[in-house]
Amino acid sequence: MANSQRRITKELAEVTSDPPAGVTVSLANESNVHEWNIMMDGPPGTPYAGGKFKLLLVLPTDYPFKAPTLNFKTKIWHPNVTFDEKGSMCLGMLKGDVWKPSSKIMSILTAAQQLLVEPNPDDAVEASIAQKFKEDKAGFIKEAQEYTKKYAN
Amino acid sequence: MYLCSLLFPNIEWPASDTDKDLDRVVARLRPNMSYSESIDGSEFTILSTHNIPADGKMRGFLYVPDLLESDPCVNISKPYVPSNVTRQANLPPTDFTLIAIAPWINENCTKSYLAAAKLDPMRALIFYKPDNSTNPPPPISDPQWNLHDGGRWKSSNQYPVFAVSGAMGARMIYESSLYSGNLTNVPHGHEISEIPNIDVRDYVRIFTKIRVPGSSKTPGAWAYIFVIIALLATLLALTSASMHLLLHQRRKALQNRVERGEVNLETLGIKRLTVPATMLSKMPLFVYGHEGEKRRPVSDHPEKSVAALGQQEIPASPPGYESSQIEVAIAESQIGTSTASDIHTSYSQPSCSICLEEFQANITTVQQIPCGHIFHPECIETYLSNHSSLCPLCKRSVLPLGYCGTKITNNMVRRERNMRDLRSRVTVHDSTSESEQGTERSFLPGPIRVMTTFSSSRSRRNRRIPNPISLQPHEPLEESNSPIDPRESLLGTQMPQPLTPGLSRREIAQRRVLELARRSPLLEDIDSLHRRRIPAWRKTLVKAFPGFT
């Protein structure tokens, strides 16, 4: 769909020219605007600080009518991201019936960053991590830091 | 097969008897003055099963059918059939049933006997080969039973046909000839006539009972099983019908609620709806930043006239939208005109939020949907006709209130009921009333009523939800330390933003309900999703017993 391509190109230009702090965006493959590689720095002041996380943003062909998907390619120890190869992220605004075509990729990236700053243990996909986060904050920070060192360098 | 001599009254004498009274009227003679004979099932052959009664029992007085006088078979059969054999004329002229016996001499005579017997009220015909053989008659497949008409004689004669051995047949004919005359002429006739209450006009004749083994085997048991099966089938059909009826009523009820505007299927996340082309074409098109100016009449009260203009521009505006929401959006580019600032604009939209292209004043044609948002016509039409009926910006439905647009299915009904269950479980701590009264109140005033009558024990989704769920509207979301398992928690991130204190309790609860509903996997199309997962046998079961899932 030409319209979809145009919008994606427009958003890509916008995000590359003025990305959120600590985020760089590039196309996974120059000929395909539907897959974006995202490098996200762990936000300072969080256990993920110092880590560099690679994410893959896939925009469906009928974007913006259908929501994109965002996955962590770098393993991250976080209540809202599956701790496996897929690294699926539970981001509210990307859910099918919450998604609005007017939402922009910029806001998705900001929301993802925000989730690293403030994990949401009540909507966790990794229950054990969420429990740790709620019951043992210090232990959580320590463990998250260790995993960040291990995987996100 | 059983034969015996029976004593029975002359029909004209007691005058009252019929076939029904036969058992009462006729009497078996005492053994010392009678004839009786049993023929085992292995000693006779069934040649034709045509019209054997269901219980396999046939009975009647034994006789020999009368051939036509001109028939050559009369002479041919003379050596085998004594002249004084029991004929129909020797039996009282009533509706007693008969069983015929005849020799199988040759093909033609057999056919003659078959034809002659056809005219009589007989129940069966017994043939025998006049060969005096004591061997049981050959089986039905034997060529000697062949009349060279392809077996048509069996179906063309409406009675069963049996065969006995030659010796047996000859003896039956002989006994028949003995018991054909007056009471005094039959064997032991004088002794019989001395029995009290016996009239000389009474008859003694040979009575034959044939029982066909197999076909009469415990007919009661079969009937019993049949009745049980029929009962079960009826029960199942009734259950199925009542379930269908119940679900039909529920579908109807949901449809009515949709039509009354109480429920919007897509807003509740029950079913994705799309907008039909006819409705799309009714949404107003105008040139961005131009229309309002051009059509604004010169007037002393510009504000008033623009309000009127807004009304007029959207003739198909559904009830429920206030006029302020459908006023024309005027862009900043219009500020150049002196009156632009007078116009009350609900929305200031410099670009299409679908393609992100900016609108160009006086050039771009835009389309306005009922909530007041404007888009490129091609952008919004693609979206509304293929993906959703909700505004891409504010998620308000663009469909007129009460428009259903889809066939209500059982899955939708179930989902809607689950949602009502969820809603009934949401309770909100009202901090003011709590401090005053220390009570927790069940919530949701107004049109969204708490439906406590629905039992949710069957809903798996609901079972996991702790009850009641408490929610502090005036506290930030993250700090509410509700005793809820994190996985099953209802305080999700999908909350668009932390609850603001400005929200009314009702708004909070409405949001909460939507959150709860979205918790379940998104059903893009619940029906197709269900269809995919269910194996064929369950589909059939569900078809027969809807709701049984």
Side-chain angles (χ1 to χ4, degrees), chain B residues 520-536:
Chain B
S520 56
L522 170 72
L523 299 176
E524 280 294 324
D525 184 344
I526 15 178
D527 294 306
S528 65
L529 197 77
H530 274 261
R531 238 172 277 135
R532 238 178 294 131
R533 276 200 309 237
I534 302 175

Side-chain angles (χ1 to χ4, degrees), chain A residues 1 3-4 6-8 10-11 14 62-66 80 90-93 95-104 115 118-128 130-131 134, chain B residues 268-269 272 353-358 378-380 382-384 386-387 390-395 415 477-478 480 482 484-494 517-519 522 524:
Chain A
M1 216 170 24
N3 271 348
S4 158
R6 255 211 328 269
R7 165 157 174 174
I8 295 173
K10 205 174 163 82
E11 287 204 65
E14 192 185 347
D62 41 6
Y63 179 82
F65 301 128
K66 290 275 159 62
N80 304 100
C90 184
L91 207 55
M93 65 184 293
K95 290 190 176 171
D97 53 350
V98 184
W99 171 253
K100 291 178 188 177
S102 55
S103 311
K104 290 196 200 172
L115 200 60
E118 277 181 64
N120 191 328
D122 291 330
D123 191 31
V125 290
E126 291 287 346
S128 57
Q131 198 160 358
K134 279 163 91 174
Chain B
L268 289 178
R272 283 236 177 249
S353 67
I354 291 176
C355 65
L356 304 181
E357 301 284 340
E358 293 199 357
E378 62 276 12
C379 292
I380 192 66
T382 314
Y383 178 67
L384 292 180
N386 298 321
H387 295 94
L390 305 181
C391 169
L393 276 166
C394 64
K395 294 235 147 195
R415 194 158 156 76
L477 200 58
E478 283 75 24
S480 69
S482 48
I484 296 169
D485 171 14
R487 278 209 97 112
E488 310 303 337
S489 157
L490 298 157
L491 307 170
T493 44
Q494 310 100 306
R518 282 170 189 156
R519 200 38 82 107
L522 170 72
E524 280 294 324

Side-chain angles (χ1 to χ4, degrees), chain B residues 292 296-297 301-311 327-328 343-344:
Chain B
R296 194 176 333 117
H301 308 284
E303 255 178 85
K304 209 171 172 183
S305 62
V306 167
L309 177 70
Q311 298 279 22
E327 277 175 288
V328 186
I343 298 159
H344 171 237

Side-chain angles (χ1 to χ4, degrees), chain A residues 78-97:
Chain A
H78 186 282
N80 304 100
V81 183
T82 57
F83 193 61
D84 59 12
E85 298 311 312
K86 287 176 82 181
S88 312
M89 188 177 201
C90 184
L91 207 55
M93 65 184 293
L94 296 186
K95 290 190 176 171
D97 53 350

Side-chain angles (χ1 to χ4, degrees), chain B residues 196-272:
Chain B
N197 298 329
I198 292 294
D199 191 282
V200 281
R201 290 170 298 177
D202 289 352
Y203 290 84
V204 177
R205 294 289 179 265
I206 306 236
F207 191 74
T208 313
K209 287 183 194 167
I210 304 174
R211 237 186 92 177
V212 178
S215 67
S216 64
K217 199 169 63 185
T218 57
W222 282 110
Y224 194 63
I225 289 168
F226 178 77
V227 166
I228 287 179
I229 290 172
L231 269 177
L232 279 176
T234 318
L235 207 71
L236 287 177
L238 275 177
T239 317
S240 175
S242 54
M243 281 169 115
H244 273 287
L245 191 72
L246 179 72
L247 283 165
H248 173 80
Q249 281 173 344
R250 285 189 185 168
R251 285 200 301 271
K252 199 88 201 150
L254 181 57
Q255 173 121 31
N256 287 340
R257 292 175 58 222
V258 169
E259 277 162 14
R260 286 198 303 267
E262 290 172 25
V263 176
N264 182 301
L265 294 176
E266 186 162 7
T267 313
L268 289 178
I270 290 172
K271 169 83 180 158
R272 283 236 177 249

Side-chain angles (χ1 to χ4, degrees), chain B residues 108-124:
Chain B
N108 284 335
C109 291
T110 299
K111 282 178 181 166
S112 296
Y113 275 117
L114 284 167
K118 214 174 187 172
L119 307 169
D120 301 332
M122 40 83 76
R123 291 288 183 267

Side-chain angles (χ1 to χ4, degrees), chain B residues 177-195:
Chain B
S177 67
L178 293 183
Y179 287 92
S180 65
N182 292 334
L183 189 67
T184 46
N185 292 346
V186 302
H188 311 286
H190 287 286
E191 294 163 52
I192 295 169
S193 60
E194 281 160 18
I195 301 173

